[in-house]
Amino acid sequence: MRRVKRLPLEVKAQIYLNQQQKQANVKLASGNLNTSSEWKSARQTQAMVAVLKTLQKIMGMRERCMYCLDSHGSDIEHFRPKAVYPKRMFRWRNVLLCCTECGRFKGNQFPLQGKRPLLIDPSKEEPWRYLDFDADTGNICARFDPHDNAYCLKGEKTVEILQLDRREALSTGYLKTYHRISNKIRRFLDESNPSAGKLINELQEADEHGLLGWCLIGTGQNETPFLELRLQYPDVWAECKAVFYHT
Ligand SMILES: [Zn+2]
């Protein structure tokens, strides 16, 4: 997973979404709203094709799912399920790009702690603040919070809902990316006159799964070879963080 930056929607599509939401709210107030059929008929329109295309554009050439970053993002997903939150079913900020598998696993689940969602929204927050990666198995798990002496609840729920720790193809994909990133850094550390710019370009290209977040601001920063890069080349480390995480 990685933090994704939402692009503005084209004006026509945004106007369409606003109108659809208004109509849905009226139907809801009179008890005549069927969220599934309302969504199904809207999905046929050009405006909704534009919504899907914009979500895919956010994810770049590979058009990957915003939750798993492993499979093709083919569906418009409601972060807050439309059946439970019909007042947000046509809100641009409530839709994400997702693959068939993540969509099926998530369904209408949306756990809360008070008013706070216990599912990571990759368009609003940095996932690796809540998640961890196991470099032995390739699984994604919840991050341990030493202050609370417990695993982060939002991380736990996200892993549970999207089954991020029990999808073999997903682990294989994450492991591949992990090895690619590690090798680039190892090579950099072995060179006598290494170039930071070259490393940054290579890492950008290699990171198909957003694992640089885990390396740079997650627990990966304390593991080999990321730890060595951080200690031996603090300037390069800072540059990587600035480029990838604006920190
Ligand atoms: Zn997915």
Side-chain angles (χ1 to χ4, degrees):
M1 230 188 247
R2 73 154 60 93
R3 168 91 197 254
V4 296
K5 198 168 174 274
R6 200 174 278 278
L7 296 171
L9 198 54
E10 66 174 58
V11 177
K12 260 192 200 165
Q14 186 60 65
I15 290 172
Y16 177 79
L17 286 185
N18 293 347
Q19 283 170 344
Q20 287 301 111
Q21 190 63 65
K22 241 186 217 168
Q23 285 174 21
N25 291 351
V26 171
K27 287 184 186 173
L28 180 68
S30 60
N32 293 319
L33 180 67
N34 179 328
T35 48
S36 296
S37 64
E38 200 73 21
W39 183 253
K40 243 184 211 162
S41 65
R43 274 292 270 120
Q44 315 296 324
T45 62
Q46 279 305 309
M48 293 307 274
V49 172
V51 171
L52 179 64
K53 292 271 174 232
T54 308
L55 287 169
Q56 289 175 329
K57 194 173 159 195
I58 291 171
M59 297 313 286
M61 294 264 285
R62 297 188 186 104
E63 300 181 347
R64 296 270 171 97
C65 164
M66 289 177 178
Y67 286 133
C68 69
L69 278 183
D70 195 62
S71 304
H72 184 248
S74 51
D75 299 330
I76 299 175
E77 136 81 3
H78 291 89
F79 178 67
R80 285 181 188 257
K82 60 183 182 308
V84 191
Y85 299 92
K87 286 188 173 174
R88 298 195 195 206
M89 68 186 283
F90 290 106
R91 292 280 175 237
W92 171 233
R93 297 209 156 265
N94 190 43
V95 293
L96 299 174
L97 181 67
C98 116
C99 71
T100 317
E101 209 173 11
C102 286
R104 186 161 46 85
F105 286 139
K106 182 179 167 254
N108 282 339
Q109 296 180 83
F110 195 72
L112 295 167
Q113 186 178 43
K115 285 185 174 175
R116 191 176 149 251
L118 287 177
L119 180 70
I120 298 168
D121 181 347
S123 74
K124 289 197 181 130
E125 54 202 344
E126 171 49 56
W128 297 104
R129 299 215 181 276
Y130 311 102
L131 297 175
D132 204 347
F133 172 69
D134 182 337
D136 293 325
T137 62
N139 282 338
I140 296 172
C141 45
R143 185 170 174 168
F144 187 78
D145 186 345
H147 295 294
D148 296 345
N149 198 29
Y151 287 96
C152 166
L153 191 55
K154 190 183 250 194
E156 274 189 333
K157 284 287 170 196
T158 302
V159 170
E160 184 190 312
I161 287 173
L162 299 170
Q163 305 201 13
L164 299 174
D165 57 348
R166 56 189 69 187
R167 289 162 66 175
E168 214 178 308
L170 195 66
S171 313
T172 308
Y174 272 78
L175 271 183
K176 243 187 218 168
T177 294
Y178 166 76
H179 289 303
R180 239 182 277 149
I181 292 174
S182 305
N183 289 339
K184 302 285 179 206
I185 292 178
R186 281 205 179 89
R187 217 170 295 155
F188 176 90
L189 292 169
D190 286 344
E191 273 178 40
S192 51
N193 192 14
S195 152
K198 185 173 162 239
L199 175 70
I200 287 169
N201 285 340
E202 286 180 345
L203 290 177
Q204 198 147 30
E205 215 178 278
D207 188 21
E208 289 187 25
H209 293 87
L211 272 175
L212 279 174
W214 173 74
C215 304
L216 293 166
I217 56 173
T219 59
Q221 61 184 300
N222 298 317
E223 291 189 20
T224 299
F226 316 110
L227 175 67
E228 287 78 357
L229 181 69
R230 180 159 67 89
L231 298 179
Q232 291 173 34
Y233 294 92
D235 292 353
V236 175
W237 184 262
E239 203 177 328
C240 284
K241 281 179 81 170
V243 168
F244 297 116
Y245 287 94
H246 313 288
T247 55

